[in-house]
Amino acid sequence: MKNADVHGTVAEGFEPVMDAFRRNFAQGAEVGAGLVVYRDGEPVVDLWGGDADPDTGQPWRHDTIAPLASTTKTFAAGSLLLLVERGQVDLDAPVARYWPEFAQKGKGEITVRVLLSHRAGLTSMEARPVTWEDLRDWTPIADTLAAAAPEWPPGTAHGYHGVTFGHLTGEIVRRMSGVSLGEFFAREIAGPLGLDCYLRVPDAELPRMATMVVPDAEQVLLGMEVPELADMVQALNDPASLTYRSMFGSVVIGWDATNDPSTYQVESPSMDGVASAPSLARYYAALIGEVDGVRLLGPQLVEQARHSYGDGVDEILRVRTSWGLGFALPGGPMWPVPEKIGGLFGHSGASGSFAFADPERGLAFAYVPNRGSELLEGGDFRVRGLIAALYEGRL
């Protein structure tokens, strides 16, 4: 969309971010989007523009909410880490202490830390691909994971738990809190912070939701031709590969469900959360510092969350990745950043969404668009330009 109206404000020194945001629209890369950055608990960038629904011309508003895809996983991770912060869960305790059935098939020694850092080897739901009904009922997915055997010796390698991460972490939260992951997140995190962030979207909020625009075949092909992703693309086209079995082979639903409201009315904590850009940034700001009197994680746990527990070729994505405690870390083609920046943690999604925190500089960044990324897990050139602009003059 060219000549889109961009609204909002930036604090002094953040003007390059507005320029980059406008440029994405001018180059035809955007449909609608919101971008918010917090510094030391206060918003310093608050921008939005374009269309929330290109078919009707409904404009993107400050409070527009949109699907996050895999960025949703950080709601699950933050919920479990909040229980760790409160002393209710021990990172180095076996998952089976909180979820006894999990000990099946040699999984009795897998710790919460290993689970959070994508090293448990429980990546595939091929034995029972996820359906909408399973998401609605929750327990069929948890039971399948409890009965599953790891794909590699736990703790010896890392691989993206793209479909399973939310239920693996969410079941611990459910067992320890007595409520569903979505209810816990709403009560303990979204409520106190006043967030428009949802693991299940209430009916009343659906009218504020943006319509997703899926990349066309030509755009997807361009994404697949990125040289650094060649091994991942090859594996995704091989039904016998662990990559395929853990991604496409683990779900019955797909992009055809992207704009079906029912997709967001069940708890799908790996794939289908929803948020506005202001609220997603506020969530990340509260992970690393105080926001209106609320701080979610203490400095010591933040340090552990952004520590790399697995760095190198990802068993699933087949590219270099780096994983902290439920959060992705910079490194590799999914999240390249300027060399002088360190200590960031966040996540991207195929919806194009991207969020991260920078504790060293007190920054929290959230980008929520409605044009899906041509890359499997996001982190495309739109995001890279915005991040480069954010750090312009700050290195």
Side-chain angles (χ1 to χ4, degrees):
M1 168 183 289
K2 299 181 179 179
N3 303 317
D5 290 333
V6 170
H7 308 274
T9 59
V10 296
E12 183 178 354
F14 289 87
E15 294 86 358
V17 181
M18 178 178 277
D19 294 339
F21 189 68
R22 290 183 184 277
R23 189 159 52 246
N24 281 346
F25 282 100
Q27 293 175 344
E30 297 287 20
V31 176
L35 172 65
V36 175
V37 177
Y38 270 64
R39 180 178 61 184
D40 298 330
E42 298 290 340
V44 290
V45 173
D46 191 351
L47 302 171
W48 66 95
D51 289 337
D53 187 336
D55 292 334
T56 65
Q58 178 183 341
W60 193 285
R61 305 185 189 281
H62 184 255
D63 67 346
T64 293
I65 57 177
L68 300 178
S70 287
T71 305
T72 304
K73 292 179 176 68
T74 62
F75 294 166
S79 297
L80 182 50
L81 288 174
L82 184 58
L83 291 177
V84 173
E85 181 68 33
R86 293 174 175 176
Q88 295 174 258
V89 171
D90 184 341
L91 284 170
D92 294 311
V95 172
R97 175 186 295 181
Y98 312 108
W99 178 5
E101 297 88 343
F102 184 82
Q104 299 175 63
K105 302 289 179 62
K107 301 196 301 297
E109 300 303 313
I110 296 177
T111 65
V112 176
R113 190 185 301 272
V114 166
L115 191 75
L116 274 167
S117 53
H118 291 261
R119 293 182 293 151
L122 298 168
T123 58
S124 177
M125 287 291 295
E126 185 185 32
R128 183 188 174 124
V130 175
T131 66
W132 183 89
E133 289 77 14
D134 289 342
L135 292 170
R136 178 196 62 198
D137 297 339
W138 184 275
T139 51
I141 299 174
D143 290 347
T144 299
L145 291 170
E151 300 288 349
W152 60 79
T156 64
H158 69 282
Y160 184 46
H161 289 51
V163 174
T164 61
F165 181 86
H167 282 81
L168 288 167
T169 52
E171 182 65 7
I172 300 174
V173 174
R174 188 180 76 86
R175 298 282 179 128
M176 295 306 296
S177 69
V179 297
S180 75
L181 174 62
E183 290 175 282
F184 181 86
F185 180 81
R187 184 183 70 193
E188 303 294 334
I189 295 177
L193 285 164
L195 303 181
D196 271 332
C197 296
Y198 305 98
L199 285 167
R200 189 192 71 77
V201 182
D203 294 351
E205 308 303 334
L206 287 172
R208 291 196 291 120
M209 195 157 156
T211 299
M212 289 300 300
V213 178
V214 181
D216 60 30
E218 182 178 353
Q219 291 169 327
V220 171
L221 183 61
L222 288 173
M224 293 297 186
E225 291 178 347
V226 176
E228 296 90 342
L229 304 182
D231 288 346
M232 179 178 73
V233 171
Q234 182 179 5
L236 282 172
N237 284 286
D238 178 6
S241 72
L242 180 58
T243 302
Y244 185 96
R245 292 191 292 110
S246 298
M247 303 297 281
F248 299 151
S250 288
V251 293
V252 173
I253 54 179
W255 272 111
D256 58 337
T258 300
N259 287 312
D260 183 342
S262 68
T263 300
Y264 308 99
Q265 293 175 298
V266 294
E267 291 188 21
S268 178
S270 289
M271 303 175 285
D272 296 315
V274 169
S276 67
S279 288
L280 186 58
R282 187 174 174 86
Y283 169 60
Y284 269 78
L287 288 171
I288 62 170
E290 190 171 298
V291 179
D292 292 336
V294 178
R295 176 166 184 161
L296 298 175
L297 307 180
Q300 183 178 11
L301 191 50
V302 168
E303 287 302 308
Q304 295 186 70
R306 65 177 182 161
H307 174 78
S308 179
Y309 297 93
D311 189 301
V313 177
D314 189 292
E315 294 291 326
I316 305 304
L317 298 179
R318 307 310 306 160
V319 299
R320 180 193 168 193
T321 61
S322 186
W323 292 104
L325 294 180
F327 295 88
L329 310 180
M334 311 301 287
W335 188 2
V337 294
E339 292 182 2
K340 295 181 181 179
I341 302 174
L344 282 57
F345 64 99
H347 219 291
S348 60
S351 65
S353 67
F354 201 101
F356 69 86
D358 179 349
E360 303 295 338
R361 297 169 180 82
L363 296 173
F365 171 103
Y367 166 69
V368 178
N370 66 337
R371 183 182 79 79
S373 176
E374 61 271 14
L375 303 181
L376 176 68
E377 286 299 320
D380 58 36
F381 73 94
R382 294 174 294 175
V383 172
R384 297 178 191 186
L386 294 170
I387 294 174
L390 174 62
Y391 285 100
E392 187 173 315
R394 289 184 171 80
L395 298 182

